Amino acid sequence: MNQVPSVEREPAAVELRRVKIVFAALYFFFMLARAVFGPFITLYLEEKGLSPEQIGLITGINSFIIIISQPVWGIVADRIRSTKKTLILCMICQAVFALSLLFANEIFLIAIAFMIYTSFSSSEGPLMDTWALTSLKNAGDPNGMGRVKMWGCIGFSVSSVVSGVFISRYSTGAIIPI
């Protein structure tokens, strides 16, 4: 019999557990942050004084930006051979442009800020999925993504409720720095 002693299998199991915990926490906090602002974008635009037509125009343009930006950031990740570095770059730039929304008060500036914000934020999910899938595969569990992503759903649901309460007391603009 060619049985591998449990001592040799244990480091692989420990590594797999570590990878699952790291990505479960990453998804939890990532989606927690996403739910702070994402579902309330139209309310934010309404608070900024935009008409329903202007809000529709901005969200429509952003849908087009999503279609274009995801493959672009995928190509960037392939070129620099690092999904993780590309994801970090997108997260930093997205945070900077989210803060710029506080200072944009005219429709043109708001639209530009949202387009740039969306070009970075829309690619974060697919980049994180690629990084997590690759890491899980390398750790020996290519099918473990479901439980990891479940933590993102929990983070999103918790944050949506808390953000909704916060927004009802203050405003959507108050949550952008969060």
Side-chain angles (χ1 to χ4, degrees):
M1 276 193 256
N2 289 337
Q3 256 188 358
V4 178
S6 63
V7 175
E8 289 181 27
R9 284 186 289 171
E10 192 170 316
V14 170
E15 174 63 17
L16 177 59
R17 183 171 172 83
R18 185 191 70 76
V19 167
K20 284 183 175 181
I21 290 170
V22 165
F23 280 102
L26 186 62
Y27 272 100
F28 179 82
F29 290 111
F30 175 73
M31 294 306 289
L32 186 105
R34 277 276 163 115
V36 169
F37 185 64
F40 307 106
I41 287 174
T42 54
L43 292 174
Y44 176 75
L45 294 173
E46 187 178 326
E47 282 182 10
K48 284 283 198 174
L50 274 60
S51 70
E53 294 80 16
Q54 292 170 325
I55 293 170
L57 178 66
I58 289 174
T59 56
I61 291 171
N62 282 341
S63 297
F64 179 71
I65 297 295
I66 290 169
I67 293 169
I68 293 172
S69 67
Q70 288 181 356
V72 168
W73 286 110
I75 291 168
V76 169
D78 289 345
R79 293 266 169 125
I80 67 170
R81 293 189 168 101
S82 178
T83 303
K84 181 181 175 181
K85 288 178 184 175
T86 307
L87 176 63
I88 291 169
L89 173 68
C90 284
M91 287 181 165
I92 290 169
C93 292
Q94 179 237 341
V96 168
F97 283 100
L99 289 174
S100 74
L101 291 171
L102 289 171
F103 306 106
N105 292 316
E106 298 175 21
I107 184 168
F108 179 74
L109 294 176
I110 293 170
I112 296 295
F114 262 111
M115 287 190 307
I116 297 170
Y117 165 85
T118 301
S119 70
F120 291 110
S121 70
S122 68
S123 301
E124 293 169 351
L127 288 169
M128 191 168 355
D129 289 347
T130 301
W131 182 29
L133 283 167
T134 303
S135 297
L136 285 167
K137 181 181 173 188
N138 291 342
D141 188 8
N143 301 319
M145 193 68 167
R147 288 189 178 174
V148 169
K149 286 195 81 161
M150 176 192 65
W151 285 101
C153 295
I154 293 169
F156 192 90
S157 61
V158 167
S159 184
S160 292
V161 172
V162 172
S163 297
V165 170
F166 188 82
I167 287 170
S168 68
R169 284 196 162 169
Y170 303 103
S171 75
T172 54
I175 64 168
I176 289 177
I178 295 171

